[in-house]
Every structure is written in C-alpha cells, then in structure tokens.
Amino acid sequence: MPNIKSAIKRVSVIEHKTTRNKMIKSATKTALKKFESAAADQSATVEMLSAASSAVDKAAAKGVISKNAANREKARMARKLAKAE
C-alpha cells in the first residue's frame, strides 16, 4: 500500500475506473453474445443488431474499447446479419 496521500487516492480512483470498465465491457460482451447466438439460429434481426451496435458504441464512447475496434465489431455483425438473411 502506498504511504503518500496522492498515491493512495490514485489507487482508489483506479479501482473505481476498473470496476466501471469491467461493467461496461461485460455488458458489451453480453450483447455481442446474444447477437451471435441469434445469428447462428438464423433468427437475428435488425433490432438485435441495433442493440448490440449501441452497446459497442457506448463502450467506445466511454473509452473502454477504441473507435476502430468498435467499428470493426459492428462491421462483422452487419456481415453476419446479411449472411443470415
């Protein structure tokens, strides 16, 4: 444990940020898995793609994933939806 006051605060702040990032990343992964399972069953819809894309965009806006990673993931989902139809 750090002894300096500012270092103690940094540890606390990092713990809060880590918790927040884990929550956002977990929600994003859940939305992606729901879309993937629906795409595998040929029951994926535009609404499901929209919900998953929204989760990915929110993660990118919060800085949990990069903008390029978000765009890449959305493009992959769009291709899977097009194949499923």
Side-chain angles (χ1 to χ4, degrees):
M1 265 320 270
N3 295 323
I4 300 168
K5 189 175 182 181
S6 62
I8 292 170
K9 181 178 179 182
R10 295 306 324 153
V11 169
S12 174
V13 169
I14 287 171
E15 285 176 357
H16 288 282
K17 284 185 175 185
T18 301
T19 304
R20 178 177 152 271
N21 288 346
K22 280 184 181 178
M23 288 172 34
I24 294 169
K25 197 172 267 195
S26 176
T28 302
K29 287 180 182 179
T30 302
L32 290 173
K33 285 179 185 177
K34 284 183 182 179
F35 178 80
E36 294 289 331
S37 64
D41 295 342
Q42 305 290 326
S43 62
T45 61
V46 176
E47 290 82 20
M48 293 185 84
L49 175 65
S50 176
S53 293
S54 176
V56 170
D57 281 336
K58 285 178 185 176
K62 305 275 186 186
V64 177
I65 60 174
S66 71
K67 286 183 183 179
N68 285 344
N71 288 335
R72 186 173 59 242
E73 198 60 54
K74 291 191 300 182
R76 286 176 181 163
M77 287 189 296
R79 279 198 304 260
K80 284 188 181 182
L81 181 65
K83 270 189 185 177
E85 290 179 347

